[in-house]
């Protein structure tokens, strides 16, 4: 692996590593996702995700996705075929699907996690992100530690471009250096409800956002406290990506995180 610029990561809260993953691995992930989609029968699930009064079933399907492979539709999807209507697949692809498992556990990811300070990395969550042509939704500014919190915070995001991502098709945007600010919110389970709790009302700093344009095969590394998001995709081009979130086993994983895996213990890279 090429030397990681730890100074840039400490300063900016992100890294953009070109050609980090082979084109073959990118092809394999895309092909496998297409197979999973082809084998997915949305039937009643699609109703769940397009009907407002099904909130309960929808929430349960989401909560159970932490230890499953579940499919989530775009809010703006109407009559598109399923392959052009999905927002994402999540959240245990890396443990339950052999192709995602193999590529997620490539040695270069393990070495990178170690280099960035995770001594005992655990692969917590994976998402195949579609960002469909024309209807791919905006992802608002957020910190990943809002959704996946350990004490102390250790969550680390790996975001792999499976298509060239640029401003037109909704590449990642980030506020450089803003990972040094506090965690603002936590999304967590309270009883049977998912709630968002404000921890610190400090607004995002007044920093010019940067577009993290990434050619296919590029890995974007995101610090768990870095504010980031992405614009909607209004272009005719898809923008597929694969995201993997890691935590350090030495930190406490909070029992009120939405993602709980009672039936599927977390694994590292081994
Ligand atoms: Fe994120």
């Amino acid at each position: 692996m090429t030397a990681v610029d730890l100074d840039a990561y400490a300063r900016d809260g992100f890294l953009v590593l070109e050609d980090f993953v082979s084109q073959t691995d990118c092809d394999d992930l895309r092909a496998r996702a297409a197979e999973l989609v082809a084998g997915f029968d949305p039937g009643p699930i699609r109703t769940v995700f397009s009907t407002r009064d099904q909130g309960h079933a929808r929430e349960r399907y989401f909560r159970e996705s932490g230890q499953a492979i579940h499919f989530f539709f775009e809010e703006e999807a109407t009559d598109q075929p399923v392959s052009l209507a999905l927002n994402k697949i999540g959240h245990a692809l890396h443990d339950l699907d052999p192709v995602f498992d193999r590529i997620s556990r490539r040695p270069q990811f393990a070495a990178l996690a170690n280099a960035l300070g995770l001594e005992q990395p655990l692969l917590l969550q994976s998402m195949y992100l579609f960002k469909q042509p024309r209807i791919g939704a905006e992802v608002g500014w957020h910190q990943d530690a809002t959704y996946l919190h350990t004490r102390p915070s250790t969550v680390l995001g790996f975001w792999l471009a499976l298509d060239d991502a640029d401003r037109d098709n909704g590449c990642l945007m980030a506020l450089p250096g803003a990972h040094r600010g506090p965690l603002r919110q936590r999304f967590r389970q309270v009883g049977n409800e998912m709630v968002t709790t404000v921890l610190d009302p400090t607004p995002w700093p007044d920093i010019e956002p940067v577009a993290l344009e990434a050619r296919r095969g590029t890995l974007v590394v995101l610090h768990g406290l870095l504010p980031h998001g992405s614009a909607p995709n209004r272009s005719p081009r898809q923008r597929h990506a694969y995201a993997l979130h890691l935590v350090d086993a030495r930190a406490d994983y909070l029992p009120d995180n939405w993602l709980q895996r009672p039936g599927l213990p977390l694994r590292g890279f081994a």
Side-chain angles (χ1 to χ4, degrees):
M1 193 182 75
T2 49
V4 178
D5 191 341
L6 293 175
D7 290 340
Y9 182 68
R11 181 190 66 223
D12 297 331
F14 62 81
L15 290 170
V16 178
L17 306 172
E18 291 184 0
D19 297 319
F20 193 84
V21 171
S22 71
Q23 297 295 306
T24 305
D25 278 357
C26 292
D27 285 341
D28 287 354
L29 290 174
R30 281 211 343 208
R32 184 61 189 141
E35 284 177 6
L36 291 171
V37 171
F40 165 56
D41 174 11
I45 305 293
R46 184 156 186 161
T47 313
V48 165
F49 282 90
S50 57
T51 307
R52 270 162 208 250
D53 59 12
Q54 296 277 356
H56 231 67
R58 176 179 172 147
E59 189 167 291
R60 189 170 144 208
Y61 187 75
F62 170 70
R63 196 180 322 122
E64 292 176 352
S65 71
Q67 51 184 2
I69 296 176
H70 283 179
F71 299 78
F72 300 91
F73 281 89
E74 276 295 350
E75 292 212 353
E76 289 183 25
T78 51
D79 53 359
Q80 293 87 353
V82 173
S83 62
L84 290 172
L86 291 173
N87 170 283
K88 68 176 172 183
I89 309 174
H91 289 92
L93 287 159
H94 61 290
D95 284 327
L96 298 177
D97 181 84
V99 175
F100 280 89
D101 177 2
R102 173 171 56 83
I103 296 173
S104 300
R105 289 186 166 83
R106 289 277 189 227
Q108 71 260 39
F109 289 130
L112 183 59
N114 287 148
L116 296 174
L118 298 195
E119 271 183 35
Q120 294 173 36
L122 293 173
L123 285 71
L124 175 61
Q125 169 185 275
S126 48
M127 296 185 282
Y128 191 93
L129 307 166
F130 291 92
K131 205 73 153 181
Q132 302 283 3
R134 296 195 174 87
I135 60 167
E138 173 184 22
V139 176
W141 291 102
H142 67 280
Q143 297 166 297
D144 287 338
T146 289
Y147 300 95
L148 303 170
H149 196 47
T150 62
R151 226 170 251 151
S153 179
T154 57
V155 65
L156 176 65
F158 289 165
W159 185 99
L160 170 63
L162 299 175
D163 289 300
D164 294 349
D166 54 37
R167 287 172 182 79
D168 287 340
N169 65 355
C171 68
L172 286 171
M173 305 288 296
L175 299 180
H179 63 297
R180 283 169 276 168
L183 178 60
R184 305 318 199 271
Q185 298 186 335
R186 283 198 61 217
F187 176 75
R188 60 200 190 96
Q189 250 183 100
V190 178
N192 255 342
E193 306 270 294
M194 300 285 191
V195 300
T196 299
T197 306
V198 175
L199 303 177
D200 188 313
T202 307
W204 304 128
D206 190 13
I207 296 169
E208 191 64 32
V210 293
L212 304 181
E213 294 191 319
R215 293 177 61 86
R216 178 181 154 85
T218 298
L219 188 77
V220 179
V221 177
L222 298 166
H223 187 284
L225 294 176
L226 182 74
H228 63 282
S230 61
N233 183 6
R234 298 300 178 205
S235 82
R237 297 158 46 224
Q238 67 178 30
R239 194 231 66 190
H240 290 196
Y242 177 57
L244 187 62
H245 287 96
L246 314 171
V247 291
D248 197 313
R250 296 173 304 165
D252 291 325
Y253 187 75
L254 298 197
D256 61 350
N257 279 320
W258 80 266
L259 197 168
Q260 300 294 331
R261 300 194 0 172
L264 189 64
L266 293 177
R267 289 170 51 208
F269 283 98

